[in-house]
Amino acid sequence: MKRTWWKEAVVYQVYWRSFYDTDGDGFGDLEGVIAKLDYIKKLGVDVIWLNPVYESPDLDNGYDISDYGSIMKKAGAMETWERLLDEAHQRGLKLIMDLVVNHTSDEHSWFLESRSSKDNPKRDWYIWKEPVNGGKPNNWRSYFTPSVWEWDEPTGQYYMHSFAVQQPDLNWENKEVREAIYSMMRFWLDKGIDGFRMDVINLLAKQEGFPNAEHPEKIDYLGNNPGIHEYLQEMNEKVLSQYDVMTVGEIPFVTPEDGLKYVGEDRHELNTLFHFQVADDMPSWDMLRYKAIQETWYEGLHGKGWNSQFLNNHDHTRQVTRYGNDKEYRRESAKLLATMLHTVPGMPYIFQGEEIGMTGVKFSSIDDYQDIAMKNKYEEETQKGREPSEVLAELQPLSRDNSRTPMQWDASTNAGFSNGEPWIAVNPNHTKINVEDALKDPDSVFYFYQKLISLRKEHDVMVYGDYHDHSKGDPHIYAYTRSLGDVTWLILLNHSNEPNTVSLPDTLSISGKKLILGNYQDIQELTALQPHEARIYQL
Ligand code: ISL
């Protein structure tokens, strides 16, 4: 596998609307990101992934784009964005943008033209279907609604939307659509961005003939359909291959075998991917399942393609709450999960606030939640006559708003995020969990992340080392090696609220070996790990 800058990178995800508000409107903004670049740089990361900032009615927090070529007013002006890119580059930080091209907003001029009449030149830029037997064309469910089909009275047809009604799917079969998207991509690449995170990029191709699904509730039929690889190979050939950029595909519903088709170095499609066998399919922590997933993806990609490692983002609950212990062992647990994500094979992504161990949230009323996905689901379920409090309790743990509460800068009002009324409530625990306190505490989660990231820069074994799990079958201890040349690291994790012993072959004895990094101040017993203890040894 050839060495590249992006394989060696750590990515920091900036959900700008919850990052830092400089104009007091209650939303974060690009000036705020600029103001905090030195903080991001201090962490030691290499790349910023900026969530969508394009003009949008903001129904799905920017993932409903109405103009790809301009900046959303609440985020700032194009001049502000250009200054952000320049200021980031001056600090040696790369910037990748979010590419959302499976769908647009229903307020995009393309869709307004397309829906205006059946014979409009842009009618075929979206997916329109006649009724079937007087009703919807098929039984497909969308991510956010019971059906992908929305009736359009004026033209007497349905249009398809894989997400909200207000997010109509583009018709990628139409060459004009593809060329318009490629031209938009060049617009941003020519401004100097360093790549794209590609939103549900495996949904671009739809099932031939739009047949009914056997299990409509399992929405995997929306992705990985014939034609997708031809689209991505064309995108690579016409656009991406002309630039030195990184591309990470958000690719749900794939196994390693399918994932490799998107990121194999010989495929000329994308560089790396987010799969969702954990974040979407593993509701709570299951060490045996996690190890098996890591194993299959390592075997599937090793030597051929590159993986990305994450456990939370703007769509998935904060990892220390969902997959760790955010109560009595919050710091240790946050550091253990970080050690794991930064030492398993693949490039690690840090979601803003993860580096100080921010937690999920539980609002008492559905009115406090802002996420369109959650509000739609709440409506759908309560409409069935279900008890609202039961539905709320069911939706709270995995609500996307868990990760979208404002970045906690200090213990002051609104966590120092805004002088206005924040668009979403601040987590009350900001008085205890915030950047200001973290930077004063040499043992904070922040400085532990900083050490992990700096280790990555000094030791190629973290990036390019072979992986071997030596703890298969153990439900709490995760013990694995990374080996490169004559360097072997052994990572020991005890994902448990109880101490656990580590039993390893003599060849992996840690007696007398160098401890590279650990999350406990002192090691009480060499072969026994404390609750949520993590250690990295050089053998
Ligand atoms: O939200 C999810 C489950 O919690 C994910 O399945 C997510 O909806 C899915 O991976 C697609 O997410 C992306 O596309 C959506 C947008 O709402 C998400 O924020 C974005 O990450 C539509 O653009």
Side-chain angles (χ1 to χ4, degrees), residues 60 63 100 103 143-144 163 167 197 199-200 250 252 276 280 314-316 398 400 404:
D60 184 21
Y63 283 93
V100 187
H103 48 274
Y143 269 90
F144 297 166
F163 291 91
Q167 292 172 289
R197 174 268 187 184
D199 192 61
V200 283
E250 181 194 34
F276 287 84
D280 269 354
H314 64 293
D315 292 332
H316 296 90
L398 296 187
R400 303 193 298 178
R404 298 179 176 186

Side-chain angles (χ1 to χ4, degrees), residues 17-61:
R17 67 187 57 240
S18 300
F19 196 57
Y20 185 52
D21 170 17
T22 60
D23 59 11
D25 68 352
F27 285 89
D29 44 52
L30 296 179
E31 284 293 358
V33 183
I34 293 171
K36 298 295 183 182
L37 282 176
D38 288 336
Y39 166 75
I40 296 173
K41 182 65 181 175
K42 183 183 181 69
L43 187 56
V45 299
D46 309 283
V47 180
I48 292 172
W49 156 24
L50 190 64
N51 285 98
V53 285
Y54 318 99
E55 189 54 76
S56 161
D58 228 9
L59 173 108
D60 184 21
N61 290 10

Side-chain angles (χ1 to χ4, degrees), residues 339 448 490-494 502 510 515-520 522-530 533-537:
T339 304
F448 192 86
L490 171 64
I491 296 91
L492 301 179
L493 309 173
N494 174 30
V502 182
I510 54 177
L515 179 68
I516 298 281
L517 183 64
N519 67 346
Y520 271 67
D522 52 10
I523 290 182
Q524 301 193 6
E525 262 194 78
L526 210 49
T527 56
L529 294 179
Q530 297 307 304
E533 184 170 10
R535 297 183 203 162
I536 304 175
Y537 284 98

Side-chain angles (χ1 to χ4, degrees), residues 144-146 366-367 371-386 388 391-392 395:
F144 297 166
T145 55
I366 186 64
D367 298 332
D371 175 16
I372 179 76
M374 180 172 180
K375 293 174 106 66
N376 281 7
K377 192 69 183 167
Y378 179 86
E379 195 58 35
E380 185 181 339
E381 292 303 310
T382 51
Q383 288 289 346
K384 294 175 185 171
R386 290 186 58 193
V391 173
L392 181 63
L395 297 179

